[in-house]
Amino acid sequence: MTPAARPRGLRPDWLSNPKVWRTEILAGLVVGLALIPEAISFSIIAGVDPAVGLFASFTMAVVISVVGGRRAMISAATGAVALVIAPLNREYGLGYLIAAVILAGIIQIALGALGVAKLMRFVPRSVMVGFVNALAILVFMAQVPEMHDVPWAVYPLIIGGLALMVFFPKVTKVIPAPLVSILILTVITVAAGIAVPTVGDKGELPSALPVPGLPDVPFTMDTLTTIAPYALAMALVGLMESLMTAKLVDDITDTHSSKTRESIGQGIANIVTGFFGGMGGCAMIGQTMINVKVSGARTRLSTFLAGAFLMVLCIVFGPVVSDIPMAALVAVMVMVSFATFDRHSVAPKTLRRMPAGETAVMVITVVVVVATENLAVGVVVGSVTAMVIFAKRVAHLARVTAVTDPDGTSVVYSVTGELFFASSNDLVGQFDYAGDPDKVVIDLSAAHIWDASSVAALDAIETKYAQRGKTVEITGLNDPSADLHGKLTGELTGSH
């Protein structure tokens, strides 16, 4: 079978292309290094041992590389998930946290099977831009504590790391610039004996692979009712972040991915993570940007190797990894934040041309995400705001014009536009009930009925005319409008 005739997906790109193979391996190594301090930080947020976060990042990345729907996307322990489950761990302990992770995975599989991924079509572009910009701000803000109250040597190291990542690609792109930056800064600090915060200062790295087991909780209804609210919140936040990140990677790589498979895959990964004693997680936008945008990875191999390298680095090269200066990783994440931010969206030229409502939605999304440090909350608030603005705009598009017959025996009202809850509320007040002749025709051939509110408004108009002894004829309904009107007319007031 020729390569052209080979069924797509049977043979991964990296098996037949050494250049792809090299890119994916090096990208996985960079991400694996960058995952270590973040996983430890998120463990601290959740109130668990660093190993719990590191195990979660390992199992999430490895499992999602096989079952996920978006190639090259990185899933691991995340801050959003840590914030959701931290109160459960504080009050009930690690066993309940792990049980909640497993239940969250089950919920994610159910939601994925029910088609929750289709809701992504209701996320407007302005919310997506706000999500990306807010994320860039959060990634940068997360680095600020690493630059506060530290030895002066940290600052030149960060600047040097940024300079390397800007200028090294001009020399060669064979080796990812972030990896070069991390290696050079580590060699400099170790060789010169410069005392700066290191990865080892974040917490002790695990010395053995995780072992599967059941969560240490009583298997009772009380346990289920205790963990269920946390599991549901974790499932929703995790899916929201994962699907938004998948959509972003789709745009960057100009490829399509299965959001349903990604939703179910996230659930499977969290279940496996729970049984291996991890704290659960979801897609990581920052690490995904390192993998896709900075390192150029495009296949599942980089995702798998990110998790595999993470464990190898911790278990085999723990002492070496512990010596990596945090300044090197801060420089990488600062570079990611700059690369992620959509500068075009805030350019004066763009802002002048963009409708005020679109800009407002983007700003609201950014403000809410940064204020709550929760991407899911920002996306929901931004989407609702966009829908309200859209409804308000469309509501003004419904127009009514009246034409009275020359003989004065009838009047024809032509209704134009979309009739739904926002526009139909004003409909009732646009008719001259007292002054119109005995026969009234409402022509809806240029309109569309979308909901029960519109049918109720038409019923109210007919009732007002009937009270004055006048008849109303509704004409020009298209098939969907006629079907909805036929089902609901006379059924909405309870007076029949």
Side-chain angles (χ1 to χ4, degrees):
M1 184 182 286
T2 64
R6 187 181 296 121
R8 187 175 175 179
L10 273 182
R11 187 180 176 86
D13 293 339
W14 53 270
L15 279 179
S16 54
N17 189 331
K19 187 178 178 183
V20 173
W21 185 78
R22 184 180 62 237
T23 300
E24 300 298 310
I25 290 176
L26 292 173
L29 180 57
V30 173
V31 174
L33 283 167
L35 278 173
I36 294 171
E38 295 226 343
I40 295 171
S41 299
F42 299 145
S43 300
I44 294 166
I45 292 171
V48 297
D49 189 79
V52 176
L54 290 163
F55 288 158
S57 294
F58 163 60
T59 51
M60 286 294 297
V62 168
V63 175
I64 207 69
S65 71
V66 179
V67 299
R70 173 66 257 176
R71 291 182 297 175
M73 192 165 79
I74 305 296
S75 290
T78 58
V81 168
L83 287 168
V84 169
I85 57 177
L88 178 65
N89 181 63
R90 274 198 306 271
E91 196 166 341
Y92 295 97
L94 181 61
Y96 280 81
L97 182 152
I98 291 171
V101 169
I102 295 170
L103 180 57
I106 295 169
I107 293 170
Q108 286 177 330
I109 292 174
L111 290 172
L114 290 171
V116 71
K118 292 176 182 175
L119 293 175
M120 284 303 295
R121 72 182 69 174
F122 296 107
V123 178
R125 182 188 175 281
S126 50
V127 173
M128 190 71 192
V129 173
F131 166 83
V132 170
N133 289 345
L135 188 71
I137 293 168
L138 286 181
V139 169
F140 182 82
M141 286 172 59
Q143 311 315 309
V144 172
E146 304 295 340
M147 296 183 270
H148 178 67
D149 196 22
V150 291
W152 68 268
V154 167
Y155 304 111
L157 285 171
I158 292 173
I159 293 168
L162 289 170
L164 278 167
M165 283 183 283
V166 170
F167 295 110
F168 187 79
K170 298 181 188 302
V171 178
T172 177
K173 293 185 179 179
V174 173
I175 305 173
L179 180 58
V180 174
S181 178
I182 290 168
L183 290 173
I184 290 176
L185 294 190
T186 303
V187 169
I188 289 172
T189 53
V190 172
I194 302 171
V196 291
T198 63
V199 170
D201 296 332
K202 287 286 183 182
E204 190 177 345
L205 302 180
S207 57
L209 287 169
V211 179
L214 293 172
D216 184 18
V217 293
F219 291 88
T220 63
M221 189 56 69
D222 283 345
T223 301
L224 183 62
T225 54
T226 299
I227 66 173
Y230 297 96
L232 178 61
M234 177 186 161
L236 293 174
V237 168
L239 279 185
M240 181 84 73
E241 286 208 35
S242 299
L243 294 176
M244 290 293 285
T245 305
K247 191 170 185 293
L248 180 60
V249 178
D250 287 354
D251 293 341
I252 291 170
T253 60
D254 197 24
T255 56
H256 176 71
S257 63
S258 170
K259 305 303 182 295
T260 297
R261 178 175 172 180
E262 185 60 43
S263 302
I264 294 171
Q266 288 290 329
I268 295 170
N270 272 307
I271 291 171
V272 172
T273 296
F275 282 122
F276 275 92
M279 59 182 270
C282 62
M284 292 189 79
I285 186 105
Q287 311 301 337
T288 298
M289 288 300 100
I290 294 175
N291 198 45
V292 175
K293 207 165 186 178
V294 180
S295 301
R298 292 293 183 269
T299 77
R300 297 178 182 276
L301 180 63
S302 57
T303 307
F304 176 86
L305 289 178
F309 280 141
L310 170 67
M311 277 294 102
V312 171
L313 288 166
C314 288
I315 295 168
V316 181
F317 300 103
V320 177
V321 172
S322 295
D323 285 337
I324 294 174
M326 283 303 298
L329 297 169
V330 168
V332 171
M333 296 312 292
V334 168
M335 196 71 184
V336 167
S337 70
F338 281 115
T340 303
F341 194 88
D342 185 354
R343 289 181 289 280
H344 176 71
S345 66
V346 294
K349 185 178 177 182
T350 306
L351 293 174
R352 281 196 300 270
R353 293 183 176 182
M354 193 68 67
E358 299 272 316
T359 304
V361 168
M362 182 191 73
V363 171
I364 287 168
T365 304
V366 170
V367 170
V368 173
V369 170
V370 172
T372 63
E373 295 189 353
N374 190 320
L375 294 162
V377 172
V379 169
V380 170
V381 172
S383 297
V384 170
T385 305
M387 289 174 188
V388 170
I389 291 172
F390 173 76
K392 189 176 179 183
R393 189 182 302 156
V394 175
H396 295 302
L397 298 180
R399 297 184 302 276
V400 179
T401 54
V403 178
T404 306
D405 270 4
D407 59 7
T409 59
S410 66
V411 61
V412 177
Y413 283 93
S414 294
V415 181
T416 305
E418 309 300 319
L419 299 182
F420 66 113
F421 61 89
S423 59
S424 58
N425 286 335
D426 297 330
L427 195 64
V428 179
Q430 298 191 49
F431 293 81
D432 185 3
Y433 302 101
D436 281 340
D438 290 344
K439 185 181 179 183
V440 178
V441 178
I442 301 176
D443 181 9
L444 296 176
S445 54
H448 186 95
I449 298 174
W450 287 103
D451 61 6
S453 298
S454 304
V455 177
L458 291 171
D459 283 356
I461 292 166
E462 289 190 78
T463 301
K464 286 179 178 291
Y465 276 116
Q467 288 169 349
R468 292 167 173 80
K470 301 175 183 180
T471 59
V472 175
E473 181 186 359
I474 296 175
T475 64
L477 288 169
N478 58 34
D479 289 343
S481 298
D483 185 48
L484 184 64
H485 185 265
K487 284 179 182 176
L488 297 180
T489 186
E491 301 291 328
L492 300 170
T493 61
S495 59
H496 57 285

